[in-house]
Coordinates of all heavy atoms in Angstrom, one line a residue:
M100 N 7.3 21.0 36.8 CA 8.5 21.2 36.0 C 9.2 19.9 35.7 O 9.8 19.8 34.7 CB 9.3 22.2 36.7 CG 10.6 22.6 36.0 SD 10.1 23.6 34.6 CE 11.7 24.0 33.9
R101 N 9.2 19.0 36.7 CA 9.9 17.7 36.5 C 9.4 17.0 35.2 O 10.1 16.4 34.5 CB 9.7 16.9 37.7 CG 10.4 15.6 37.7 CD 10.3 14.8 39.0 NE 11.0 13.6 38.9 CZ 10.8 12.6 39.6 NH1 9.8 12.6 40.5 NH2 11.5 11.5 39.5
G102 N 8.0 17.0 35.0 CA 7.5 16.3 33.9 C 7.9 17.0 32.6 O 8.2 16.4 31.6
S103 N 8.0 18.3 32.6 CA 8.4 19.1 31.4 C 9.9 18.7 31.0 O 10.2 18.6 29.9 CB 8.3 20.6 31.6 OG 7.0 20.9 31.9
L104 N 10.7 18.6 32.1 CA 12.1 18.2 31.8 C 12.2 16.8 31.2 O 13.0 16.6 30.3 CB 12.9 18.3 33.1 CG 14.4 18.1 33.0 CD1 15.0 19.1 32.0 CD2 15.1 18.2 34.3
A105 N 11.4 15.9 31.7 CA 11.3 14.5 31.2 C 10.9 14.5 29.7 O 11.5 13.9 28.9 CB 10.4 13.7 32.0
W106 N 9.9 15.3 29.4 CA 9.5 15.4 28.0 C 10.6 16.0 27.1 O 10.7 15.6 26.0 CB 8.2 16.2 27.9 CG 7.0 15.4 28.2 CD1 6.2 15.4 29.4 CD2 6.4 14.4 27.4 NE1 5.2 14.5 29.4 CE2 5.3 13.8 28.2 CE3 6.6 13.8 26.2 CZ2 4.5 12.8 27.7 CZ3 5.8 12.8 25.7 CH2 4.7 12.3 26.5
L107 N 11.3 17.0 27.7 CA 12.4 17.6 26.9 C 13.5 16.6 26.6 O 14.0 16.6 25.5 CB 12.9 18.9 27.7 CG 13.9 19.7 27.0 CD1 13.4 20.3 25.7 CD2 14.4 20.8 27.9
R108 N 13.8 15.8 27.6 CA 14.8 14.8 27.4 C 14.4 13.8 26.4 O 15.2 13.4 25.5 CB 15.1 14.1 28.7 CG 15.9 14.9 29.7 CD 16.1 14.1 31.0 NE 16.8 14.9 32.0 CZ 16.7 14.8 33.3 NH1 15.8 13.9 33.8 NH2 17.3 15.6 34.1
L109 N 13.2 13.4 26.4 CA 12.6 12.4 25.5 C 12.7 13.0 24.1 O 13.2 12.4 23.1 CB 11.2 12.0 25.8 CG 10.5 11.1 24.8 CD1 11.3 9.8 24.6 CD2 9.1 10.8 25.2
T110 N 12.3 14.3 23.9 CA 12.3 15.0 22.6 C 13.7 15.0 22.1 O 14.0 14.8 20.9 CB 11.7 16.3 22.8 OG1 10.3 16.2 23.3 CG2 11.7 17.1 21.4
A111 N 14.7 15.4 23.0 CA 16.1 15.5 22.5 C 16.6 14.1 22.1 O 17.3 14.0 21.1 CB 16.9 16.0 23.7
L112 N 16.3 13.0 22.8 CA 16.7 11.7 22.4 C 16.1 11.3 21.0 O 16.8 10.7 20.2 CB 16.3 10.7 23.4 CG 17.2 10.6 24.7 CD1 16.5 9.7 25.7 CD2 18.6 10.0 24.3
I113 N 14.9 11.6 20.8 CA 14.2 11.3 19.6 C 14.8 12.1 18.4 O 15.1 11.6 17.4 CB 12.7 11.5 19.7 CG1 12.1 10.5 20.6 CG2 12.0 11.5 18.3 CD1 10.6 10.7 20.9
A114 N 15.0 13.4 18.7 CA 15.6 14.2 17.6 C 17.0 13.8 17.3 O 17.4 13.7 16.1 CB 15.7 15.7 18.1
A115 N 17.8 13.4 18.3 CA 19.2 12.9 18.0 C 19.1 11.6 17.2 O 19.9 11.4 16.3 CB 19.9 12.7 19.3
S116 N 18.2 10.7 17.6 CA 18.1 9.4 16.9 C 17.7 9.6 15.4 O 18.2 9.0 14.5 CB 17.0 8.5 17.6 OG 17.4 8.2 18.9
I117 N 16.7 10.5 15.2 CA 16.3 10.8 13.8 C 17.5 11.4 13.0 O 17.7 11.0 11.9 CB 15.1 11.8 13.9 CG1 13.9 11.1 14.4 CG2 14.8 12.4 12.5 CD1 12.7 12.1 14.7
A118 N 18.2 12.3 13.6 CA 19.4 12.9 12.9 C 20.4 11.9 12.6 O 20.9 11.9 11.4 CB 20.0 14.0 13.8
I119 N 20.7 11.0 13.5 CA 21.7 9.9 13.2 C 21.2 9.0 12.1 O 22.0 8.7 11.2 CB 22.0 9.2 14.5 CG1 22.8 10.0 15.5 CG2 22.8 7.9 14.2 CD1 22.9 9.5 16.9
L120 N 20.0 8.6 12.2 CA 19.4 7.7 11.2 C 19.3 8.4 9.8 O 19.6 7.8 8.7 CB 18.1 7.2 11.6 CG 18.1 6.2 12.8 CD1 16.7 5.9 13.2 CD2 18.8 4.9 12.4
A121 N 19.0 9.7 9.8 CA 19.0 10.4 8.5 C 20.4 10.6 7.9 O 20.6 10.4 6.7 CB 18.4 11.8 8.7
L122 N 21.4 10.8 8.8 CA 22.8 10.9 8.3 C 23.3 9.6 7.7 O 24.1 9.6 6.7 CB 23.7 11.2 9.5 CG 23.7 12.7 9.9 CD1 24.5 12.9 11.2 CD2 24.2 13.6 8.8
I123 N 22.9 8.4 8.2 CA 23.3 7.2 7.6 C 22.3 6.7 6.5 O 22.5 5.5 6.1 CB 23.5 6.1 8.7 CG1 22.2 5.8 9.4 CG2 24.6 6.5 9.7 CD1 22.4 4.6 10.4
H124 N 21.4 7.5 6.2 CA 20.4 7.2 5.1 C 19.6 6.0 5.4 O 19.3 5.2 4.5 CB 21.1 7.1 3.8 CG 21.8 8.4 3.4 ND1 21.2 9.5 3.0 CD2 23.2 8.6 3.4 CE1 22.1 10.4 2.8 NE2 23.3 9.9 3.0
A125 N 19.2 5.8 6.7 CA 18.3 4.7 7.0 C 16.9 4.9 6.5 O 16.5 6.1 6.3 CB 18.3 4.6 8.6
P126 N 16.2 3.9 6.2 CA 14.8 4.1 5.7 C 13.9 4.7 6.8 O 14.0 4.2 8.0 CB 14.4 2.7 5.3 CG 15.2 1.8 6.0 CD 16.5 2.5 6.3
S127 N 13.1 5.6 6.5 CA 12.1 6.2 7.4 C 12.7 6.6 8.7 O 12.3 6.1 9.8 CB 11.0 5.2 7.6 OG 9.9 5.9 8.3
P128 N 13.7 7.5 8.7 CA 14.4 7.9 9.9 C 13.4 8.5 11.0 O 13.7 8.3 12.2 CB 15.4 8.9 9.5 CG 15.0 9.4 8.2 CD 14.1 8.3 7.6
T129 N 12.4 9.2 10.6 CA 11.5 9.8 11.6 C 10.7 8.7 12.4 O 10.5 8.7 13.6 CB 10.5 10.7 11.0 OG1 9.8 10.1 9.9 CG2 11.2 12.0 10.5
L130 N 10.3 7.6 11.7 CA 9.5 6.5 12.3 C 10.5 5.7 13.2 O 10.2 5.5 14.4 CB 8.9 5.6 11.2 CG 8.1 4.4 11.7 CD1 6.9 4.9 12.5 CD2 7.7 3.5 10.6
F131 N 11.6 5.3 12.7 CA 12.5 4.5 13.5 C 13.3 5.3 14.5 O 13.6 4.8 15.6 CB 13.5 3.8 12.6 CG 12.8 2.7 11.8 CD1 12.7 2.8 10.4 CD2 12.2 1.6 12.4 CE1 12.1 1.8 9.7 CE2 11.6 0.6 11.7 CZ 11.5 0.7 10.3
G132 N 13.5 6.6 14.2 CA 14.1 7.5 15.2 C 13.2 7.7 16.5 O 13.7 7.7 17.6
G133 N 11.9 7.8 16.2 CA 11.0 7.9 17.3 C 11.0 6.6 18.2 O 11.0 6.7 19.4
L134 N 11.1 5.5 17.5 CA 11.2 4.2 18.2 C 12.5 4.1 19.0 O 12.5 3.7 20.2 CB 11.0 3.0 17.3 CG 9.7 2.8 16.6 CD1 9.7 1.8 15.5 CD2 8.6 2.4 17.6
V135 N 13.6 4.4 18.4 CA 14.9 4.2 19.0 C 15.0 5.2 20.2 O 15.4 4.8 21.3 CB 16.0 4.4 18.0 CG1 17.4 4.5 18.7 CG2 16.1 3.3 17.0
G136 N 14.7 6.5 20.0 CA 14.8 7.5 21.0 C 13.9 7.1 22.2 O 14.3 7.2 23.4
S137 N 12.7 6.7 22.0 CA 11.8 6.3 23.0 C 12.3 5.1 23.8 O 12.2 5.0 25.0 CB 10.4 6.0 22.5 OG 9.9 7.2 21.9
L138 N 12.9 4.1 23.1 CA 13.4 2.9 23.7 C 14.6 3.3 24.6 O 14.6 2.8 25.7 CB 13.9 1.9 22.6 CG 14.5 0.6 23.1 CD1 13.5 -0.2 23.9 CD2 15.1 -0.2 22.0
I139 N 15.4 4.1 24.1 CA 16.6 4.6 25.0 C 16.0 5.3 26.2 O 16.5 5.0 27.4 CB 17.5 5.5 24.2 CG1 18.2 4.7 23.1 CG2 18.5 6.2 25.1 CD1 19.0 5.6 22.1
Y140 N 15.0 6.1 26.1 CA 14.5 6.8 27.2 C 13.9 5.8 28.2 O 14.1 5.9 29.4 CB 13.4 7.9 26.8 CG 12.8 8.6 28.0 CD1 13.4 9.7 28.5 CD2 11.7 8.1 28.6 CE1 12.9 10.3 29.6 CE2 11.1 8.7 29.7 CZ 11.7 9.9 30.2 OH 11.2 10.5 31.3
A141 N 13.1 4.9 27.7 CA 12.4 3.9 28.6 C 13.4 3.1 29.3 O 13.2 2.7 30.5 CB 11.5 3.0 27.7
L142 N 14.5 2.7 28.7 CA 15.5 1.9 29.4 C 16.4 2.7 30.4 O 16.9 2.1 31.4 CB 16.4 1.2 28.4 CG 15.7 0.1 27.5 CD1 16.6 -0.4 26.4 CD2 15.1 -1.0 28.3
A143 N 16.6 3.9 30.1 CA 17.5 4.7 30.9 C 16.8 5.6 32.0 O 17.5 6.1 32.9 CB 18.4 5.6 30.0
S144 N 15.6 5.8 31.9 CA 14.9 6.8 32.8 C 14.0 6.0 33.8 O 13.5 5.0 33.6 CB 14.0 7.7 32.0 OG 13.3 8.6 32.8
R145 N 13.9 6.7 34.9 CA 13.0 6.2 36.0 C 11.7 6.9 36.0 O 10.8 6.6 36.7 CB 13.6 6.3 37.3 CG 14.8 5.4 37.5 CD 15.4 5.4 38.8 NE 16.5 4.5 38.8 CZ 17.5 4.6 39.7 NH1 17.5 5.5 40.6 NH2 18.5 3.7 39.6
H146 N 11.6 8.0 35.2 CA 10.4 8.8 35.1 C 9.4 8.3 34.0 O 9.8 8.3 32.9 CB 10.8 10.3 34.9 CG 9.6 11.2 35.0 ND1 8.6 11.3 34.1 CD2 9.3 12.1 36.1 CE1 7.8 12.2 34.6 NE2 8.2 12.7 35.7
E147 N 8.3 7.8 34.4 CA 7.3 7.3 33.5 C 6.5 8.5 32.9 O 6.0 9.3 33.6 CB 6.4 6.3 34.2 CG 5.4 5.6 33.2 CD 4.6 4.5 33.9 OE1 5.2 3.8 34.7 OE2 3.5 4.4 33.6
L148 N 6.3 8.5 31.6 CA 5.5 9.5 30.9 C 4.2 8.9 30.5 O 4.2 7.7 30.1 CB 6.3 10.1 29.7 CG 7.6 10.8 30.0 CD1 8.3 11.2 28.8 CD2 7.3 12.0 30.9
S149 N 3.2 9.7 30.5 CA 1.9 9.2 29.9 C 1.3 10.3 29.1 O 1.5 11.5 29.3 CB 0.9 8.8 31.0 OG 0.6 9.9 31.8
L150 N 0.6 9.9 28.1 CA -0.1 10.8 27.1 C -1.6 10.9 27.4 O -2.2 9.9 27.8 CB 0.1 10.4 25.7 CG 1.5 10.5 25.1 CD1 1.5 9.8 23.7 CD2 1.9 11.9 24.9
P151 N -2.2 12.0 27.2 CA -3.6 12.1 27.3 C -4.2 11.3 26.1 O -3.5 11.1 25.1 CB -4.0 13.6 27.1 CG -2.7 14.3 26.8 CD -1.6 13.3 27.0
P152 N -5.4 10.7 26.2 CA -5.9 9.8 25.2 C -5.9 10.5 23.8 O -5.6 9.8 22.8 CB -7.3 9.5 25.6 CG -7.3 9.7 27.1 CD -6.3 10.8 27.4
W153 N -6.3 11.8 23.7 CA -6.3 12.4 22.4 C -5.0 12.5 21.7 O -4.8 12.3 20.5 CB -7.0 13.8 22.5 CG -6.2 14.8 23.4 CD1 -6.4 15.0 24.7 CD2 -5.1 15.6 23.0 NE1 -5.5 15.9 25.2 CE2 -4.6 16.3 24.2 CE3 -4.4 15.8 21.8 CZ2 -3.6 17.2 24.2 CZ3 -3.3 16.7 21.8 CH2 -2.9 17.4 23.0
A154 N -3.9 12.7 22.5 CA -2.6 12.8 22.0 C -2.1 11.4 21.5 O -1.4 11.3 20.4 CB -1.6 13.3 23.0
F155 N -2.5 10.3 22.2 CA -2.2 9.0 21.8 C -2.9 8.6 20.4 O -2.2 8.1 19.5 CB -2.6 8.0 22.8 CG -2.2 6.6 22.5 CD1 -0.9 6.1 22.7 CD2 -3.2 5.6 22.1 CE1 -0.6 4.8 22.4 CE2 -2.8 4.3 21.9 CZ -1.5 3.9 22.0
I156 N -4.1 9.0 20.3 CA -4.8 8.8 19.0 C -4.2 9.6 17.8 O -4.0 9.0 16.8 CB -6.3 9.2 19.2 CG1 -7.0 8.2 20.1 CG2 -7.0 9.2 17.8 CD1 -8.4 8.6 20.5
I157 N -3.8 10.8 18.1 CA -3.1 11.6 17.1 C -1.8 10.9 16.7 O -1.4 10.9 15.5 CB -2.9 13.1 17.5 CG1 -4.3 13.8 17.6 CG2 -1.9 13.8 16.6 CD1 -4.2 15.1 18.2
G158 N -1.1 10.4 17.7 CA 0.2 9.7 17.4 C 0.0 8.5 16.5 O 0.8 8.3 15.6
Q159 N -1.0 7.7 16.8 CA -1.3 6.6 16.0 C -1.7 7.0 14.6 O -1.3 6.3 13.6 CB -2.5 5.8 16.6 CG -2.1 5.0 17.9 CD -3.3 4.3 18.5 OE1 -4.4 4.8 18.5 NE2 -3.0 3.0 18.9
A160 N -2.4 8.0 14.4 CA -2.8 8.5 13.1 C -1.5 8.9 12.3 O -1.4 8.6 11.1 CB -3.7 9.7 13.2
I161 N -0.6 9.6 13.0 CA 0.6 10.0 12.3 C 1.5 8.8 11.9 O 2.0 8.8 10.7 CB 1.5 10.9 13.2 CG1 0.7 12.3 13.4 CG2 2.9 11.2 12.7 CD1 1.3 13.2 14.4
V162 N 1.6 7.8 12.7 CA 2.3 6.6 12.4 C 1.6 5.9 11.2 O 2.3 5.5 10.2 CB 2.4 5.6 13.6 CG1 3.0 4.3 13.1 CG2 3.3 6.2 14.6
G163 N 0.3 5.8 11.2 CA -0.4 5.2 10.1 C -0.3 5.9 8.8 O -0.1 5.3 7.8
I164 N -0.3 7.2 8.9 CA -0.1 8.0 7.6 C 1.3 7.8 7.1 O 1.5 7.7 5.9 CB -0.4 9.5 7.9 CG1 -1.9 9.7 8.1 CG2 0.1 10.4 6.8 CD1 -2.3 11.0 8.7
S165 N 2.3 7.8 8.0 CA 3.7 7.6 7.6 C 3.9 6.3 6.9 O 4.5 6.2 5.9 CB 4.6 7.7 8.8 OG 4.6 9.0 9.4
I166 N 3.3 5.2 7.5 CA 3.5 3.9 6.9 C 2.7 3.8 5.6 O 3.2 3.3 4.6 CB 3.0 2.8 7.9 CG1 4.0 2.8 9.1 CG2 2.9 1.5 7.2 CD1 3.5 1.9 10.2
G167 N 1.5 4.4 5.6 CA 0.7 4.4 4.3 C 1.4 5.1 3.2 O 1.3 4.8 2.0
G168 N 2.1 6.2 3.6 CA 2.8 7.0 2.5 C 4.0 6.3 1.9 O 4.4 6.6 0.8
M169 N 4.4 5.2 2.6 CA 5.6 4.5 2.0 C 5.1 3.3 1.1 O 5.9 2.7 0.5 CB 6.4 3.9 3.2 CG 7.1 4.9 4.0 SD 8.2 4.3 5.3 CE 7.6 2.7 5.8
V170 N 3.8 3.1 1.0 CA 3.3 2.0 0.1 C 3.4 2.4 -1.3 O 3.1 3.5 -1.8 CB 1.8 1.8 0.4 CG1 1.2 0.8 -0.6 CG2 1.6 1.3 1.8
D171 N 4.0 1.5 -2.1 CA 4.2 1.8 -3.5 C 3.1 1.1 -4.3 O 2.9 -0.1 -4.1 CB 5.6 1.1 -3.9 CG 6.0 1.4 -5.3 OD1 5.8 2.5 -5.8 OD2 6.5 0.5 -6.0
L172 N 2.4 1.8 -5.1 CA 1.2 1.3 -5.8 C 1.5 0.1 -6.7 O 0.8 -0.9 -6.7 CB 0.5 2.4 -6.6 CG -0.9 2.1 -7.1 CD1 -1.8 1.7 -6.0 CD2 -1.4 3.3 -7.8
P173 N 2.6 0.1 -7.5 CA 2.9 -1.1 -8.3 C 3.1 -2.3 -7.5 O 2.7 -3.4 -7.9 CB 4.1 -0.7 -9.1 CG 4.1 0.8 -9.2 CD 3.5 1.3 -7.9
T174 N 3.8 -2.1 -6.4 CA 4.0 -3.3 -5.5 C 2.7 -3.8 -4.9 O 2.5 -5.0 -4.8 CB 5.0 -2.9 -4.3 OG1 6.2 -2.4 -4.9 CG2 5.3 -4.0 -3.4
L175 N 1.9 -2.9 -4.5 CA 0.5 -3.3 -4.0 C -0.3 -4.0 -5.1 O -0.9 -5.0 -4.8 CB -0.2 -2.0 -3.5 CG -1.4 -2.2 -2.7 CD1 -1.1 -3.0 -1.4 CD2 -2.1 -0.9 -2.4
R176 N -0.2 -3.6 -6.3 CA -0.9 -4.3 -7.4 C -0.3 -5.7 -7.6 O -1.1 -6.6 -7.8 CB -0.8 -3.5 -8.7 CG -1.6 -2.3 -8.7 CD -1.6 -1.6 -10.1 NE -2.4 -0.4 -10.1 CZ -1.9 0.8 -10.5 NH1 -0.7 0.9 -11.0 NH2 -2.7 1.8 -10.4
G177 N 1.0 -5.8 -7.5 CA 1.6 -7.1 -7.6 C 1.2 -8.1 -6.5 O 1.0 -9.3 -6.7
L178 N 1.0 -7.5 -5.3 CA 0.6 -8.3 -4.2 C -0.9 -8.8 -4.4 O -1.3 -9.9 -4.0 CB 0.7 -7.6 -2.9 CG 2.1 -7.3 -2.3 CD1 2.0 -6.4 -1.1 CD2 2.8 -8.6 -2.0
G179 N -1.7 -8.0 -5.0 CA -3.1 -8.3 -5.3 C -3.2 -9.6 -6.1 O -4.2 -10.3 -5.9
A180 N -2.3 -9.8 -7.0 CA -2.4 -11.0 -7.8 C -2.1 -12.3 -7.0 O -2.5 -13.4 -7.4 CB -1.4 -11.0 -8.9
H181 N -1.5 -12.1 -5.8 CA -1.1 -13.3 -4.9 C -1.8 -13.1 -3.6 O -1.2 -13.3 -2.5 CB 0.4 -13.4 -4.8 CG 1.1 -13.4 -6.1 ND1 1.1 -14.6 -6.9 CD2 1.8 -12.5 -6.8 CE1 1.8 -14.3 -8.0 NE2 2.2 -13.1 -7.9
W182 N -3.0 -12.6 -3.6 CA -3.7 -12.2 -2.3 C -3.8 -13.4 -1.3 O -3.8 -13.2 -0.1 CB -5.0 -11.6 -2.6 CG -6.1 -12.5 -3.2 CD1 -6.3 -12.8 -4.5 CD2 -7.0 -13.3 -2.4 NE1 -7.3 -13.7 -4.6 CE2 -7.8 -14.0 -3.3 CE3 -7.3 -13.4 -1.1 CZ2 -8.8 -14.9 -2.9 CZ3 -8.3 -14.3 -0.7 CH2 -9.0 -15.0 -1.6
V183 N -4.0 -14.6 -1.8 CA -4.1 -15.8 -0.9 C -2.9 -16.0 -0.1 O -2.9 -16.2 1.1 CB -4.5 -17.1 -1.7 CG1 -4.5 -18.3 -0.8 CG2 -5.8 -16.9 -2.4
I184 N -1.7 -15.9 -0.7 CA -0.4 -16.1 0.0 C -0.2 -14.9 0.9 O 0.2 -15.1 2.1 CB 0.7 -16.1 -1.1 CG1 0.6 -17.4 -1.9 CG2 2.1 -16.1 -0.4 CD1 1.5 -17.4 -3.1
V185 N -0.5 -13.7 0.5 CA -0.3 -12.5 1.4 C -1.2 -12.7 2.6 O -0.8 -12.4 3.7 CB -0.7 -11.2 0.6 CG1 -0.7 -10.0 1.5 CG2 0.4 -11.0 -0.5
L186 N -2.5 -13.1 2.4 CA -3.4 -13.2 3.5 C -2.9 -14.3 4.5 O -3.0 -14.2 5.7 CB -4.8 -13.6 3.0 CG -5.9 -13.7 4.0 CD1 -6.1 -12.4 4.8 CD2 -7.2 -14.2 3.4
A187 N -2.4 -15.4 3.9 CA -1.9 -16.5 4.8 C -0.7 -16.1 5.6 O -0.6 -16.4 6.8 CB -1.6 -17.7 3.9
V188 N 0.2 -15.4 5.0 CA 1.4 -14.9 5.7 C 1.0 -13.9 6.8 O 1.5 -13.9 7.9 CB 2.4 -14.3 4.7 CG1 3.5 -13.6 5.5 CG2 3.0 -15.4 3.9
T189 N 0.1 -13.0 6.4 CA -0.4 -12.0 7.4 C -1.1 -12.6 8.6 O -0.8 -12.3 9.7 CB -1.4 -11.0 6.7 OG1 -0.7 -10.4 5.6 CG2 -1.9 -9.9 7.7
L190 N -2.0 -13.6 8.3 CA -2.7 -14.3 9.4 C -1.7 -15.1 10.3 O -1.8 -15.2 11.5 CB -3.8 -15.2 8.9 CG -5.0 -14.4 8.3 CD1 -6.0 -15.4 7.7 CD2 -5.6 -13.6 9.4
G191 N -0.7 -15.8 9.6 CA 0.3 -16.5 10.3 C 1.1 -15.6 11.2 O 1.4 -16.0 12.4
T192 N 1.5 -14.5 10.7 CA 2.3 -13.5 11.5 C 1.5 -13.0 12.7 O 2.0 -12.9 13.9 CB 2.7 -12.3 10.7 OG1 3.5 -12.8 9.6 CG2 3.5 -11.3 11.5
L193 N 0.2 -12.8 12.5 CA -0.7 -12.3 13.6 C -0.8 -13.4 14.6 O -0.7 -13.1 15.8 CB -2.1 -11.9 13.0 CG -3.1 -11.4 14.0 CD1 -2.6 -10.2 14.7 CD2 -4.4 -11.2 13.3
V194 N -1.1 -14.6 14.2 CA -1.2 -15.7 15.2 C 0.1 -15.9 16.0 O 0.0 -16.1 17.2 CB -1.6 -17.0 14.5 CG1 -1.5 -18.2 15.4 CG2 -3.0 -16.9 13.9
L195 N 1.2 -15.9 15.3 CA 2.5 -16.1 16.0 C 2.8 -14.9 17.0 O 3.2 -15.1 18.1 CB 3.7 -16.2 15.0 CG 3.8 -17.5 14.3 CD1 4.9 -17.4 13.2 CD2 4.1 -18.6 15.3
S196 N 2.4 -13.7 16.6 CA 2.6 -12.6 17.5 C 1.7 -12.6 18.7 O 2.2 -12.3 19.8 CB 2.3 -11.3 16.7 OG 3.2 -11.1 15.6
V197 N 0.5 -13.0 18.5 CA -0.4 -13.1 19.7 C 0.0 -14.2 20.6 O 0.0 -14.1 21.8 CB -1.9 -13.3 19.2 CG1 -2.8 -13.7 20.3 CG2 -2.4 -12.1 18.5
A198 N 0.4 -15.4 20.0 CA 0.9 -16.5 20.8 C 2.2 -16.1 21.6 O 2.3 -16.4 22.8 CB 1.2 -17.7 19.9
A199 N 3.1 -15.4 21.0 CA 4.3 -15.0 21.6 C 4.0 -14.0 22.8 O 4.5 -14.1 23.9 CB 5.3 -14.3 20.7
G200 N 3.0 -13.1 22.5 CA 2.6 -12.2 23.5 C 2.0 -12.9 24.7 O 2.2 -12.5 25.9
Q201 N 1.2 -13.9 24.5 CA 0.6 -14.7 25.6 C 1.6 -15.4 26.4 O 1.6 -15.5 27.6 CB -0.5 -15.6 25.0 CG -1.7 -15.0 24.5 CD -2.4 -14.2 25.5 OE1 -2.5 -14.5 26.7 NE2 -2.9 -13.0 25.1
V202 N 2.6 -16.0 25.7 CA 3.7 -16.7 26.4 C 4.5 -15.7 27.3 O 4.8 -16.0 28.4 CB 4.7 -17.4 25.4 CG1 5.9 -17.8 26.1 CG2 3.9 -18.5 24.7
L203 N 4.8 -14.5 26.8 CA 5.5 -13.5 27.5 C 4.7 -13.0 28.7 O 5.2 -12.7 29.8 CB 5.9 -12.3 26.7 CG 7.0 -12.6 25.6 CD1 7.2 -11.4 24.7 CD2 8.3 -12.9 26.3
R204 N 3.4 -12.9 28.5 CA 2.5 -12.4 29.6 C 2.4 -13.4 30.7 O 2.3 -13.0 31.9 CB 1.1 -12.2 29.0 CG 0.1 -11.7 30.0 CD -1.3 -11.5 29.3 NE -1.9 -12.7 29.0 CZ -2.7 -13.4 29.8 NH1 -3.0 -13.0 31.0 NH2 -3.3 -14.6 29.4
L205 N 2.4 -14.7 30.4 CA 2.3 -15.7 31.4 C 3.6 -16.0 32.2 O 3.6 -16.7 33.2 CB 1.7 -17.0 30.8 CG 0.3 -16.9 30.2 CD1 -0.1 -18.1 29.5 CD2 -0.7 -16.6 31.3
H206 N 4.7 -15.6 31.6 CA 6.0 -15.9 32.3 C 6.6 -14.7 32.8 O 6.6 -13.6 32.6 CB 7.0 -16.6 31.3 CG 6.5 -17.9 30.9 ND1 6.7 -19.0 31.7 CD2 5.9 -18.4 29.8 CE1 6.2 -20.1 31.1 NE2 5.7 -19.7 30.0

């Protein structure tokens, strides 16, 4: 029962975060509401939650679909004309993110 109560608290935090972000017309309130609600739970709770592997995969698929649904085709076509710059910025971001992760891991 303790685990069920923790999941219920997490769900309530996420729902409240989504509602607040939707009220202020924030972009993608479901995506960011999930992040904000989960962050609040992680910082305020001592109860660690874990998902079964299949649920984690489904969650990743939902996030991917949500992000993919926000892609605007004309914008994507415009980026295609400048693919070298887009690729360089993407690779640079990836390298900086991995480097920052390694620095945080070592300290």
